[in-house]
Structure formats: C-alpha cells, structure tokens
Amino acid sequence: MTSEQPDPAATTDEIRLLWSGHEPGPARRGPRPKLTRSEVVTAAVRLADAEGIEAVSMQRVAAALGYTTMSLYRYVDSKDDLLLLMADAAMDATPPGPREDGDWRAGAEEWCLAVVALYRAHPWMVRLPVTGPPSGPNGIRWMEAGLREICAPGLRPSEAVQMLLILTTVLRETLRMEFDMRQAAHRHGQQISDNESAWVQGLLGVLETDAFPTVTRVLGQLGAEEDKFGGLDSDSERGGGPVEGLGFGLDRILDGIEAYTGGRTAD
Amino acid sequence: MTSEQPDPAATTDEIRLLWSGHEPGPARRGPRPKLTRSEVVTAAVRLADAEGIEAVSMQRVAAALGYTTMSLYRYVDSKDDLLLLMADAAMDATPPGPREDGDWRAGAEEWCLAVVALYRAHPWMVRLPVTGPPSGPNGIRWMEAGLREICAPGLRPSEAVQMLLILTTVLRETLRMEFDMRQAAHRHGQQISDNESAWVQGLLGVLETDAFPTVTRVLGQLGAEEDKFGGLDSDSERGGGPVEGLGFGLDRILDGIEAYTGGRTAD
DNA sequence: TAGTTCTGTGTATTACTTACACTATTAACT
DNA sequence: AGTTAATAGTGTAAGTAATACACAGAACTA
C-alpha cells in the first residue's frame, strides 16, 4: 500500500492530519506516551535521508527508535499518513524572502533554485506520490513564497496556481530522473553522462533512420553538441544530468509568463 | 519492488529488452511454450486497464491467463521488466501525423491532446515510474511525432528534447493528479470540484491571513473566480479537474518557445 | 483502592515477489 | 529408434511488508 494512489480521503482529512498539533496535551489516563508524533516523523525522515525511501518501513522506523513496529500506530494511523507527515516535515527549510528590487522573474528563479536545494537535501521526496497542491504548514510556506513572485506580473489566481504547479512538477520530476540516473549509473560504476550517451548510442544502434528521421537526426546531433547551456547548477561539477540543463526549460516557461502579461509588473 | 526506483540497469538493458523481438523462433528443445511474451504483456495491460495498476500482480496476471504465477517468469525476467514492457505496449496508438500547413504550434497542441487521450485510455500509465526519455519502439514513435513539431521553430537538439520532456512531464503529472482526485472524490460520492473547493475552504479555515497573505488572497479569489479558461477538454463535461485548465499552462510554455525562437519557423 | 483508559508488545493474517527443485515434454544427436 | 539434454509449467517455501487484534501493565480518576 506504500505507493499506490493514497486515498487522500477528501482533502479535508489531509489538512486535519497536517495541521492538528497532536502535541502531548495536559494529562490523560493510562501510561504516558514515551514518544511523540514528531519524534516518529523525524526518525522516519532521518532514515529516508540516510537510506532512501524504500528503507522506510514501519519496522525500520520503529527499530531506529528502539520500539516495536506496532507501537508506531499509536502515533500515526497508517504508513500513508506517516509519508504525508514526512513530506511536510522535510520542507522545514525557509524559502527565499521577498526581493527588494521587486524583480519577480529573478525571484521566481531564486525560488526554483531553493526548491532544487530542498529536493537535493531530501532526495526521497521526489518519490512520494503527490496528491495535489500542498496542504501542510511547511508546504504552504513554500507556496506563499512562490505565489508571491509568480503573481507579481499580474496573473489571475488560478493562472498563478497553475504555473506554480507546473514549475514544481517540472523541478520534481527532473530531479527524480536525475536521481534515478545517478543511482543506476553509480551501481554500474559509471557517470550519468555515460548513461546518457549509452541511451543515445543504444537507440541509434537500433533505430532505422527512415522510420524515425527526426529522432535519429536529433540524437545524432545530440552526441555531437558541445555547448551545454549554463544551467541550474553550473557551479557544481556533477558530471551532467537532466537538472544541469533545466535552466533552459525554466527560462522558456518564465518567458511564456512574460509574453502573456506583456512585461507589466502590477496586479 | 513494484514501484521503487527500478534499476534501469544501464539504459542498454532496457533498450535490449524493449527491442528484442522475443518471438518464438524456429525450433528449440523442450516443450513448446504455450504462451508468448506479448500475450503476457497484453493480459497485464488488459488487467491494468480494467482494475488499475495495483491489481497487476504476477498472480493476477497468471490467473487471467489460466497459468500459475511462476510460469510467467519464463517470459519475463521480473515484474519490473513486465511493467516496462507494458508501458511501451500501451503506447500502441498512432500519434498525429505531420500537418500540411506546417503550423508547428498547432501541431504541438495536437500532439499534447493525443498524449492526453493516450493517458486517458490507460490511466495506470501515469503511475509507472518514468526512468527517462522513452526507449521502446512505441515510445519512440511518439517522440518522433513530438520532436517533429517542436524542432520546427528552430530549437537545438538538446533544447527540443528538453522541452518535449517538460511537456510530457506536465501532461502526465497533471493527469495523475486528476485521476487521483477523481478517484478520491468518487470514493466519497463527490465531484472533483467538491474536492477542490474542499481544499480551498479547508485551507482558508486553517490559515492565518497575516502569516500567508498571498496564499489567502489567492485562495479567496479562487473561490470567487468564475471564468474558467477553455482548456484541454472543454468538450467533455467532467466536472472540473486539473486538466481542464491545463490549456493555459501549455499555452505559456509554447509562448515561451515562440518568444525564444522569435517566430521563425525554419531550422 | 477500584475502575477505567491508554501504551507498548506479541502474534497472526494477508498479499506480494521470487528462488529452487521437480516433472513432463520435445528436439537433436547417435 | 533410442538416448540425451534443454526447456516449460508446477509446487513449495522463503523473505518482506502492512496492519488487525488481543493482552499486560501503567497511570489517572472517582
């Protein structure tokens, strides 16, 4: 049941789950709980950070805390709930604040970079099923920061929400691809670039040119192409990978917003 | 192991898997196989179409064919391989052919619509882990059709590949969200729109306005907003949902390409 | 102190993938 | 034709996982 589509059971339940403090409270009957919900969540996050999301089983989390599997269910209704809580907990970093120069586009780029950093800090996040727009306190903080920039050029509410969703989706999925590729490459003692060129070469070896003229042409040129556009993390030498080139795509999306709003900056 | 990050085991293996005909061959020793790989894959696809990807277990697929679980492993090395094969098999529909008027933008929109139709025909596809750009014969056919349009305005190879990847990502993830929401709503006997407004209302009830000024303002206006931009399937009355409004975002992305290439149409 | 309620534990159930050994089959070779 | 060797489908079992359920003991309330 881990990564099937989780029943967000009417968004309401999700919001309740993520916003209910669930702190100890004054004094109830029975034995005092030795754990707290946030301790459980923190342990799970730590485990995921260290060994990946597939290491997060109720057993492993419980073991990490020194308790039995079933004890966790006193703090969390199900594993799916735990994952939801983990996702919001992992977004505890602070998103960029408002810019002084009011340059929404630079602000949006900053925000994207921060999101990338966030995902890099907790790579397992990109593997969690995303039900929809964020609902938890931390998720909303990030949404606030993103919307603030995206709304500035004068998008309507639903437009702004949609564009922000598109940006996060692209960032998340691109990073997921990169993580997958890095992992696969690493298992084979290779670099991502090896894997990419293996894909290009492998396909070129299999495709008949006349059946797929565009693909073969593009793949052929891809191999030869030298100039990688300076991208999101040109600073770090990561041996290539999808995110490195992502700057181009993000620029196009922001271009699209600019073209639509005609460069104005009010609302 | 179903939906962990699958080891694409160097893209090469994936390509080999997807392109090796694996057809009966002349005559080998031992009992004649009673099944073929494609029969297995077809059965799995049929099962997924009918009951969703979570119904696809080796046991269910085998049962559907009237064989035992283990017999399937004569045709497929692992469940992950089966999923890979299913993904490509499900893309058997024919993508749009080249336009006569050479209007790349209209062509790209057509292509997007066709992708949406494809995903609607096999909703489980959006739940499969995507390792990277397509590698299978059918996937490449779709890539050919998409690249043909996207390349036309004069993008460089890596740029075109990236923009196409962004488009598919956005389409797939948006549809996944919609399917999730529809499913959740359905389980509670509601419409998607109910779910959406539950999200808006739920959040508004929880957020403090001054901590999240932009979000509260935007959510407030969202509730009031009347004009839904005519979107991808304004033809079908599906009671709202993410895809309905997606046209706007896609338009921005295509705007961005147009702004970049300056409206020229050659290469 | 008696009663009640809640915590953490132990056990069992269910569902899944897949390794391995076994039998029955059938082509290739003598 | 008879032998050999490879191969197809079966049965069983191991390993991992989530989680339902009952219970022992703790700690508050009356």
Side-chain angles (χ1 to χ4, degrees), chain B:
Chain B
M1 208 125 308
T2 292
S3 42
E4 309 307 345
Q5 53 279 45
D7 187 350
T11 335
T12 316
D13 294 2
E14 190 180 314
I15 294 177
R16 208 185 344 265
L17 169 70
L18 291 169
W19 288 85
S20 75
H22 211 264
E23 286 321 302
R28 301 180 312 179
R29 283 190 188 179
R32 232 163 271 108
K34 296 186 185 120
L35 291 169
T36 60
R37 170 175 284 183
S38 65
E39 278 178 282
V40 172
V41 174
T42 305
V45 167
R46 205 163 16 227
L47 189 55
D49 285 345
E51 302 190 42
I53 196 65
E54 74 276 5
V56 177
S57 69
M58 297 306 265
Q59 324 195 17
R60 293 289 315 270
V61 175
L65 288 163
Y67 288 82
T68 57
T69 309
M70 291 311 292
S71 64
L72 298 192
Y73 285 93
R74 295 280 171 198
Y75 301 95
V76 152
D77 277 350
S78 67
K79 187 180 177 183
D80 282 344
D81 275 13
L82 176 58
L83 292 176
L84 243 31
L85 290 163
M86 287 173 67
D88 198 67
M91 291 194 279
D92 57 349
T94 305
R99 292 176 63 91
E100 281 153 12
D101 59 7
D103 182 347
W104 72 267
R105 180 154 179 164
E109 278 164 12
E110 255 179 54
W111 186 84
C112 288
L113 272 174
V115 169
V116 170
L118 187 67
Y119 283 139
R120 283 206 194 286
H122 306 287
W124 48 270
M125 287 187 69
V126 303
R127 310 205 190 275
L128 295 182
V130 179
T131 313
S135 300
N138 283 330
I140 293 290
R141 275 172 51 236
W142 280 84
M143 193 186 186
E144 170 73 24
L147 272 185
R148 194 186 54 224
E149 305 302 329
I150 284 282
C151 283
L155 294 180
R156 267 169 299 187
S158 60
E159 295 170 348
V161 170
Q162 183 174 153
M163 293 312 294
L164 201 66
L165 211 53
I166 287 180
L167 283 178
T168 42
T169 298
V170 168
L171 291 170
R172 196 186 59 240
E173 291 299 302
T174 307
L175 274 160
R176 198 173 56 68
M177 257 189 55
E178 175 166 319
F179 293 151
D180 280 352
M181 293 176 65
R182 192 190 314 290
Q183 202 166 319
H186 191 261
R187 253 196 289 263
H188 296 254
Q190 297 171 328
Q191 293 286 323
I192 281 194
S193 46
D194 298 337
N195 207 326
E196 277 177 342
S197 67
W199 176 70
V200 172
Q201 295 308 321
L203 278 183
L204 282 178
V206 153
L207 298 180
E208 308 130 31
T209 307
D210 38 338
F212 306 105
T214 319
V215 173
T216 48
R217 178 170 54 82
V218 165
L219 288 184
Q221 293 175 4
L222 247 191
E225 200 174 76
E226 271 306 317
D227 54 331
K228 303 292 182 191
F229 15 69
L232 271 186
D233 19 54
S234 38
D235 49 337
S236 63
E237 29 45 56
R238 293 173 183 275
V243 174
E244 187 177 341
L246 189 56
F248 176 80
L250 293 181
D251 279 346
R252 283 330 114 234
I253 295 178
L254 297 181
D255 275 359
I257 296 177
E258 221 165 74
Y260 175 69
T261 61
R264 77 192 120 104
T265 308
D267 177 43

Side-chain angles (χ1 to χ4, degrees), chain A residues 1 19 28 46 91 97 104 108 114 117 156 180 209 212 233:
Chain A
M1 206 127 307
W19 289 86
R28 301 177 314 180
R46 208 167 9 231
M91 290 194 280
W104 71 268
R156 265 168 299 187
D180 280 352
T209 306
F212 306 105
D233 21 54

